[in-house]
């Protein structure tokens, strides 16, 4: 944001010459709105607001995208985080802090910040254009005494020859040279278009913000997308995609740490196979903007659930992908939508000594919709049917599952383009700064006196260049 922008955030009825209040015109209202948008205070407040929301989104656990569109799934997810946030859980949920980046507040702030940057840039562009094409070439005499960088030297040549010599040396050094309009000096500058690098950087921020907004509106990222080997799972998000894991393999080093693991995935679009690939950590499967990344693996419990009449209401693997706070158990979750029940399947964590769940067993806990206390709990042994309420549960066997990250990020390209533009803008402004010099040559007691000054911020390189230029023109060391 520009730091030299005047703030205009007050709008009051205008008064005519007789002191009577008159109606404010639409044009004046528009001018006030425009000035409000390019105000640096407004821009800074929007940046702080977006930074605060982003910080909250990082510090507070965010709900997976796959549960946000399903109230029952979201309530079940809230129960899993209640152990961490306690009584603050409903408060944080009501404020939208479990899905910060998809809230209307975050999106509105993103749009407002983009508008503010655009207004700031458009407000500054005319001044940048004027400085590049119609610079102020004449300055007062005191300018040469009080500027940040100023030199004075006596030249051996007559005034007219000295003026021509100075112009020649400046042009050889790469400066544009313009007469000051009084016949006694020059205006010279280098890299006059480089200040537009700030405009490039501002445009870059807008492009990035648009990319973030597009991803927020049309993208998704399921970080806990688990598929049991031998089963198929719908991706959702109106993609019409489903993915099946046909095999999984993992290799370990001598200390038991995973060295490589890969999943054999088959992708379906509306029931028809469209892709097949071995997916590793750095080798995702991509299809029409949706990417499947290998992220984790573990054990799933294959469970069959039947109702009182013997009808199967669920049959498949339940990935035990989460670990309890005490580290003793791993668990997974399935929603039995028709019964309005959430089923948690719990197993003993690797290496944990659990007195309730023995190796080879799993436990089942049932929760009603919106309830925090379980309806019931039973331990299941392989192949043995257990009745719990109106349902019958059978733990068939253990099976591997593959953990994937499924993401669609349509704004990623815009973010990359914006990031590249930021680099370009920074290079232009930091390494090719606009250099301006005002030069005056006047006769004083029969000698040509050269004075050079610049109000721009000093740096060692620029000061040495000007000092060397003046020294080469003078017959003695100049006064700095």
């Amino acid at each position: 944001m520009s730091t030299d922008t005047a703030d205009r955030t007050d709008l009051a009825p205008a008064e005519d010459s007789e002191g009577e209040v008159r109606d404010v015109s639409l044009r004046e209202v528009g001018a006030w709105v425009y000035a409000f948008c390019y105000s640096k205070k407004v821009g800074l407040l929007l940046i702080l607001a977006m930074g605060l929301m982003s910080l909250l989104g990082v510090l507070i656990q965010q709900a997976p995208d796959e549960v946000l569109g399903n109230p029952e799934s979201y309530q079940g997810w809230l129960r899993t985080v209640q152990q961490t946030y306690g009584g603050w859980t409903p408060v944080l949920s009501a404020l939208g802090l479990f899905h910060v980046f998809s809230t209307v507040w975050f999106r509105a702030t993103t749009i407002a910040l983009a508008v503010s940057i655009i207004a700031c840039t458009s407000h500054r562009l005319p001044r940048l254009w004027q400085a590049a094409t119609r610079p102020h070439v004449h300055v007062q005499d005191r300018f040469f005494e009080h500027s940040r960088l100023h030199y004075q030297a006596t030249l051996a040549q007559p005034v007219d020859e000295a003026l021509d010599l100075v112009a020649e040396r400046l042009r050889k050094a790469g400066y544009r040279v313009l007469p000051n309009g009084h016949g006694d000096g020059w205006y010279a500058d280098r890299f006059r278009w480089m200040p537009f690098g700030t405009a490039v950087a501002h445009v870059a921020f807008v492009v990035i913000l648009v990319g973030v907004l597009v991803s927020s509106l049309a993208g998704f990222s399921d970080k806990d997308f688990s598929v049991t080997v031998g089963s198929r799972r719908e991706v959702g998000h109106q993609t019409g995609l489903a993915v099946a894991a046909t095999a999984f393999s993992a290799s370990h080093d001598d200390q038991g740490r995973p060295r490589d693991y890969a999943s054999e995935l088959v992708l379906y679009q509306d029931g028809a196979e469209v892709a097949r690939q071995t997916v590793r950590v750095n080798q995702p499967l991509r299809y029409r903007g949706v990417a499947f990344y290998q992220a984790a693996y573990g054990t799933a419990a294959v469970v069959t659930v039947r109702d009182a009449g013997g009808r199967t209401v669920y049959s498949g693997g339940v990935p035990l992908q989460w670990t309890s706070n005490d580290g003793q158990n791993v668990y997974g979750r399935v929603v039995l939508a028709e019964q309005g029940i959430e089923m948690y399947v719990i197993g003993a964590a690797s290496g944990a000594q659990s007195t309730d769940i023995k190796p080879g067993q799993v436990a089942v806990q049932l929760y009603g919709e919106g309830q925090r206390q379980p309806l019931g709990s039973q331990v299941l042994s392989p192949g043995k049917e257990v009745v719990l309420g109106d349902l019958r549960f059978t733990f068939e066997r253990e099976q591997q599952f593959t953990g994937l990250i499924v993401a669609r990020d349509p704004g990623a390209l815009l973010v990359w383009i914006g990031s590249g533009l930021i680099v370009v803008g920074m290079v232009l402004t930091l390494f090719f700064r606009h250099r301006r010099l005002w030069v005056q040559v006047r006769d004083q007691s029969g000698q040509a006196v050269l004075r050079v000054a610049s109000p721009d911020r000093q740096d060692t390189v620029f000061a040495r260049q000007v000092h060397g230029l003046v020294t080469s023109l003078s017959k003695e060391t100049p006064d700095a």
Side-chain angles (χ1 to χ4, degrees):
M1 304 294 293
S2 174
T3 58
D4 56 356
T5 301
D7 294 317
R8 292 176 54 197
T9 56
D10 56 334
L11 178 63
E15 296 185 359
D16 58 19
S17 58
E18 298 180 356
E20 295 181 358
V21 177
R22 62 176 174 82
D23 292 336
V24 178
S25 68
L26 183 61
R27 182 176 181 179
E28 290 174 314
V29 173
W32 179 86
V33 172
Y34 177 58
F36 178 83
C37 290
Y38 72 65
S39 167
K40 64 178 181 181
K41 290 183 180 179
V42 173
L44 288 174
L45 286 175
L46 290 172
I47 292 173
L48 290 174
M50 194 167 185
L52 177 61
M53 287 187 286
S54 300
L55 179 62
L56 292 174
V58 171
L59 296 179
I60 298 176
Q61 186 175 349
Q62 299 295 285
D65 286 350
E66 64 264 27
V67 308
L68 291 177
N70 188 321
E72 294 180 355
S73 298
Y74 181 67
Q75 291 300 320
W77 181 84
L78 288 180
R79 280 194 287 271
T80 65
V81 299
Q82 192 169 13
Q83 297 177 350
T84 303
Y85 298 103
W88 286 98
T89 302
V91 177
L92 296 176
S93 177
L95 294 174
L97 296 181
F98 288 129
H99 52 98
V100 171
F101 303 108
S102 62
T103 60
V104 65
W105 304 112
F106 183 83
R107 291 169 178 171
T109 302
T110 301
I111 295 173
L113 182 56
V115 170
S116 177
I117 294 175
I118 292 172
C120 177
T121 304
S122 65
H123 178 69
R124 193 177 184 187
L125 280 176
R127 286 182 291 170
L128 294 176
W129 179 260
Q130 182 174 357
T133 60
R134 299 188 303 275
H136 186 69
V137 297
H138 176 67
V139 292
Q140 300 294 327
D141 288 348
R142 61 178 178 271
F143 175 82
F144 293 96
E145 300 174 0
H146 301 292
S147 294
R148 293 180 178 177
L149 180 67
H150 58 277
Y151 290 95
Q152 180 172 313
T154 301
L155 305 184
Q157 300 82 4
V159 171
D160 292 341
E161 293 182 13
L163 277 171
D164 293 339
L165 179 61
V166 170
E168 180 185 352
R169 294 290 180 84
L170 288 171
R171 290 190 181 98
K172 286 184 177 180
Y175 283 84
R176 174 184 60 162
V177 180
L178 300 175
N180 67 358
H182 290 263
D184 62 352
W186 309 103
Y187 165 82
D189 66 357
R190 295 178 66 193
F191 309 128
R192 55 176 167 149
W193 300 110
M194 297 304 104
F196 283 89
T198 58
V200 173
H202 283 187
V203 171
F205 280 114
V206 173
V207 171
I208 291 174
L209 290 174
V210 171
V212 171
L213 185 62
V214 168
S215 294
S216 175
L217 293 173
F220 64 86
S221 178
D222 293 344
K223 298 181 179 180
D224 295 318
F225 191 93
S226 300
V227 184
T228 302
V229 174
S231 67
R232 184 189 302 189
R233 180 178 173 182
E234 300 290 332
V235 174
H237 302 285
Q238 300 179 344
T239 61
L241 296 175
V243 61
T246 59
F248 178 84
S249 61
S251 60
H252 302 79
D253 59 19
D254 295 338
Q255 298 179 352
R257 294 174 298 191
R259 182 171 52 193
D260 180 39
Y261 47 99
S263 301
E264 300 290 338
L265 300 184
V266 181
L267 189 63
Y268 299 88
Q269 174 81 60
D270 299 324
E273 181 179 332
V274 293
R276 182 185 293 263
Q277 181 179 318
T278 300
V279 174
R280 290 182 167 83
V281 174
N282 295 318
Q283 298 175 2
L285 168 62
R286 300 181 187 272
Y287 179 78
R288 293 186 177 180
V290 181
F292 298 81
Y293 299 88
Q294 181 69 61
Y297 63 92
T299 302
V302 180
V303 177
T304 301
V305 184
R306 298 181 177 87
D307 60 16
R311 182 174 63 92
T312 300
V313 298
Y314 179 82
S315 180
V318 181
L320 308 182
Q321 61 190 105
W322 298 302
T323 303
S324 61
N325 288 343
D326 59 9
Q328 295 297 306
N329 299 107
V330 290
Y331 64 95
R333 170 179 164 275
V334 172
V335 176
L336 306 178
E338 185 178 342
Q339 288 73 29
I341 289 176
E342 290 178 301
M343 176 180 70
Y344 284 82
V345 180
I346 307 168
S350 177
Q353 299 296 323
S354 174
T355 57
D356 298 327
I357 305 173
K358 297 179 180 180
Q361 295 181 328
V362 296
V364 172
Q365 284 187 357
L366 303 182
Y367 288 85
E369 182 178 353
Q371 296 182 358
R372 298 182 179 179
Q373 296 299 323
L375 299 175
S377 177
Q378 287 282 3
V379 175
L380 308 180
S381 297
K384 295 182 179 180
E385 185 177 80
V386 173
V387 178
L388 184 57
D390 296 330
L391 299 174
R392 294 182 291 171
F393 300 84
T394 303
F395 172 36
E396 306 289 353
R397 65 187 182 278
E398 289 186 346
Q399 181 62 281
Q400 285 183 310
F401 78 85
T402 179
L404 306 173
I405 297 176
V406 184
R408 180 174 62 195
D409 191 2
L413 179 60
L414 291 174
V415 173
W416 281 108
I417 292 174
S419 300
L421 289 175
I422 286 180
V423 173
V424 171
M426 291 180 63
V427 169
L428 293 179
T429 55
L430 295 180
F431 296 97
F432 300 94
R433 288 172 53 190
H434 188 201
R435 304 299 193 187
R436 302 179 299 166
L437 289 174
W438 279 262
V439 179
Q440 183 186 83
V441 180
R442 286 183 177 177
D443 183 273
Q444 292 184 11
S445 302
Q447 292 182 314
V449 177
L450 169 68
R451 294 202 292 178
V452 179
S454 174
D456 297 333
R457 186 173 59 186
Q458 281 195 49
D459 61 63
T460 304
V461 174
F462 184 42
R464 286 178 178 175
Q465 289 175 349
V466 177
H467 182 272
L469 178 64
V470 174
T471 301
S472 67
L473 291 167
S474 66
K475 65 178 181 180
E476 59 183 60
T477 305
D479 299 326

